[in-house]
Amino acid sequence: AIIAQYPGKVGEMVPQALSNSLWASARLKDVVPEVLEIVPTVVAQIPARVKEMIPQHLSNCLRASAQLKTDEPKVLESVPAIVGEIPEKMKDMKAQDLSNILETLVDLQESVPAV
């Protein structure tokens, strides 16, 4: 029931909700595979909202993208926008955000060579 509501609501979501949705999809994909249906809709919103994201949102989106890349390759479409925003947010990053991003970029470099 929740998954069916996403297409009509995702355009109203704030950056944190988009980040949380992608992260939750990555966590639930093996238990509730239907959650992968929302990923393309969420991913489509990220480039327009990426400038509003705080470092933790960027980090979470990247980590979720790395975890979802095999099950839903469309998730990789938002990675260039996310990576492009990282230099703008570097001064606000906590050490944990930075280390998570670096670790995730290693996982994504083969799938998205531009990173």
Side-chain angles (χ1 to χ4, degrees):
I2 294 172
I3 294 169
Q5 297 301 311
Y6 257 80
K9 302 288 184 183
V10 76
E12 303 169 20
M13 290 184 177
V14 296
Q16 181 179 4
L18 294 171
S19 172
N20 289 350
S21 295
L22 215 53
W23 181 84
S25 296
R27 302 282 296 171
L28 290 170
K29 67 183 177 116
D30 294 329
V31 180
V32 185
E34 297 83 14
V35 76
L36 295 172
E37 296 173 21
I38 71 167
V39 172
T41 307
V42 172
V43 166
Q45 296 297 314
I46 290 175
R49 305 302 298 270
V50 75
K51 291 200 177 298
E52 301 168 50
M53 290 185 172
I54 63 172
Q56 184 179 3
H57 300 156
L58 297 172
S59 174
N60 289 347
C61 284
L62 278 179
R63 291 188 83 174
S65 296
Q67 292 174 355
L68 290 165
K69 68 183 179 188
T70 303
D71 298 298
E72 180 48 75
K74 202 160 189 65
V75 74
L76 298 174
E77 293 177 7
S78 65
V79 170
I82 297 165
V83 171
E85 190 60 21
I86 290 171
E88 301 299 319
K89 305 287 168 88
M90 290 290 281
K91 68 180 184 320
D92 300 323
M93 283 192 186
K94 295 177 183 171
Q96 185 67 48
D97 296 327
L98 185 57
S99 70
N100 288 347
I101 287 170
L102 287 173
E103 177 185 0
T104 303
L105 290 177
V106 171
D107 290 339
L108 289 171
Q109 71 184 18
E110 289 183 24
S111 302
V112 186
V115 304

